[in-house]
Amino acid sequence: MYQKSKTLLKEQGLAASKKLGQNFLVHEHTAQRIVDFVELSKEDTVLEIGVGLGALTRPLAEAAGQVLGLEADSGIIRLHEEQGDLPENVHLMHQDVLKADYDELVQLSQGKKLKIIANLPYSISSPFLFQLIEQHEQIDFAVIMLQKEVALRLLAQPGTKEYGVPTVMLGTVATVKMLMHVGPEEFHPRPKVDSAVIRLSFDPLPERAAALGNFDRKLLKTIVSSTFGQRRKTLLNGLASAGLLSKDVLRECINEAELLPSVRAEQLTLETFVRLAQIIKTRLA
Ligand code: SAM
């Protein structure tokens, strides 16, 4: 596949775009291993983000009934249209995933929650993850390849430097599992960093997330972002920086949550953050 992808790009006058995070998988067996993790049947429609030259798309089309393939690069769309090189059950769409309408994607997926697979352009990992969190009710699972460092942040435990806003926010909707590590030699062109494939399971909602009760997700994000944004500051000072309530009222909220004002954000569990958001919400009303 390596030589093929290089030659194909050259023939078509295309160069791998850095801006679009184009690092194409070059070994068929690696693509197949990733697809095997997804466990698809011919009843399934799977949504692939970033089709590229089709390394994952082809084995996906073999395993699933239908592949909805999103691709932002018009040069790549043209290439597949001209070459007719993708299997018939692939529905290729020229679409930036960050602007996608998830209701529409669910409809195209026979009204079923989305099964997503992506070798992500690293430049969009963060907005894409927050999009998944926002759209979690529309998603069954996502198997995604991303920068190993980002994957480790999503899997991090409280009290570590990797633990942060995405860990907490994702924890409210999904469980995260490490599937495999992937080295730079698996791509053309080679990225400077290591990669990892992880699975995010949204449905059923993980027990831990279901036990959280009702909370205002937007408020939680404001709280988590402001406190982690000021990582070295105390919880009280971090919270105060969000400008939601006076310091005195915030001190009372922290007390009610049975915390010390001097505690740091990275020591708080998901459950404690949610509890704090619930308390602060009552004071905002
Ligand atoms: N799936 C292919 C593979 O594994 O070899 C390509 C993976 S490459 C890392 C990422 C692909 O996503 C590229 O083809 C790129 O053009 C496309 N892409 C980049 N930004 C995108 C976006 N916002 N929406 C959809 N596709 C995007």
Side-chain angles (χ1 to χ4, degrees):
M1 208 170 357
Y2 178 65
Q3 212 36 48
K4 231 166 83 189
S5 42
K6 258 179 117 174
T7 319
L8 199 60
L9 286 171
K10 213 169 165 190
E11 273 172 13
Q12 299 294 318
L14 296 170
S17 153
K18 230 181 174 173
K19 195 168 147 235
L20 287 171
Q22 292 180 346
N23 300 97
F24 302 113
L25 272 171
V26 292
H27 297 126
E28 259 161 50
H29 60 91
T30 311
Q32 187 64 56
R33 260 190 84 192
I34 297 171
V35 170
D36 288 346
F37 282 122
V38 190
E39 290 175 7
L40 293 163
S41 83
K42 283 290 171 190
E43 310 294 307
D44 291 321
T45 296
V46 62
L47 170 65
E48 188 192 1
I49 317 293
V51 167
L53 302 177
L56 288 168
T57 323
R58 292 184 186 87
L60 280 174
E62 267 189 37
Q66 196 196 11
V67 183
L68 304 174
L70 265 52
E71 175 54 58
D73 185 345
S74 52
I76 286 188
I77 296 282
R78 189 166 22 87
L79 179 149
H80 291 305
E81 281 170 1
E82 283 173 13
Q83 305 258 326
D85 61 344
L86 292 177
E88 274 188 0
N89 60 344
V90 176
H91 177 42
L92 189 62
M93 293 183 279
H94 186 198
Q95 167 82 64
D96 174 345
V97 67
L98 299 179
K99 297 187 181 142
D101 176 341
Y102 274 62
D103 288 334
E104 207 173 286
L105 292 173
V106 167
Q107 263 178 30
L108 288 169
S109 185
Q110 289 131 16
K112 295 200 185 122
K113 289 198 180 189
L114 301 171
K115 297 173 192 297
I116 299 176
I117 182 162
N119 170 8
L120 272 190
Y122 296 151
S123 50
I124 70 161
S125 351
S126 183
F128 178 66
L129 281 167
F130 283 104
Q131 184 184 45
L132 294 184
I133 294 167
E134 206 155 290
Q135 302 292 339
H136 70 276
E137 285 176 355
Q138 317 261 46
I139 306 168
D140 182 346
F141 63 79
V143 170
I144 54 181
M145 169 128 68
L146 70 186
Q147 224 172 300
K148 189 168 146 193
E149 196 192 310
V150 179
L152 293 179
R153 266 188 244 152
L154 301 180
L155 285 150
Q157 295 299 318
T160 63
K161 71 177 192 320
E162 288 80 17
Y163 186 63
V165 184
T167 333
V168 175
M169 295 311 294
L170 191 62
T172 63
V173 290
T175 34
V176 188
K177 191 175 163 201
M178 174 65 81
L179 296 178
M180 70 190 263
H181 295 228
V182 185
E185 67 286 355
E186 296 289 338
F187 303 90
H188 168 72
R190 289 184 183 204
K192 289 198 178 74
V193 293
D194 284 335
S195 305
V197 180
I198 56 171
R199 181 188 168 101
L200 312 177
S201 306
F202 294 85
D203 189 52
L205 193 63
E207 256 173 53
R208 185 178 175 207
L212 294 172
N214 283 341
F215 64 93
D216 179 334
R217 193 169 301 279
K218 212 166 143 219
L219 176 61
L220 178 70
K221 177 131 185 255
T222 306
I223 290 171
V224 176
S225 304
S226 64
T227 53
F228 275 108
Q230 315 272 323
R231 247 184 139 92
R232 298 225 296 277
K233 288 197 181 173
T234 63
L235 178 64
L236 177 61
N237 286 337
L239 279 177
S241 71
L244 294 168
L245 292 165
S246 73
K247 247 186 167 172
D248 284 343
V249 178
L250 287 172
R251 202 175 278 114
E252 285 168 22
C253 295
I254 291 173
N255 240 336
E256 199 179 326
E258 296 175 5
L259 295 167
L260 291 171
S262 59
V263 76
R264 321 243 160 205
E266 63 189 31
Q267 295 166 277
L268 304 192
T269 63
L270 164 63
E271 289 79 1
T272 307
F273 268 119
V274 170
R275 175 90 189 103
L276 203 52
Q278 286 160 336
I279 294 169
I280 290 178
K281 178 84 178 176
T282 62
R283 303 301 176 108
L284 285 171

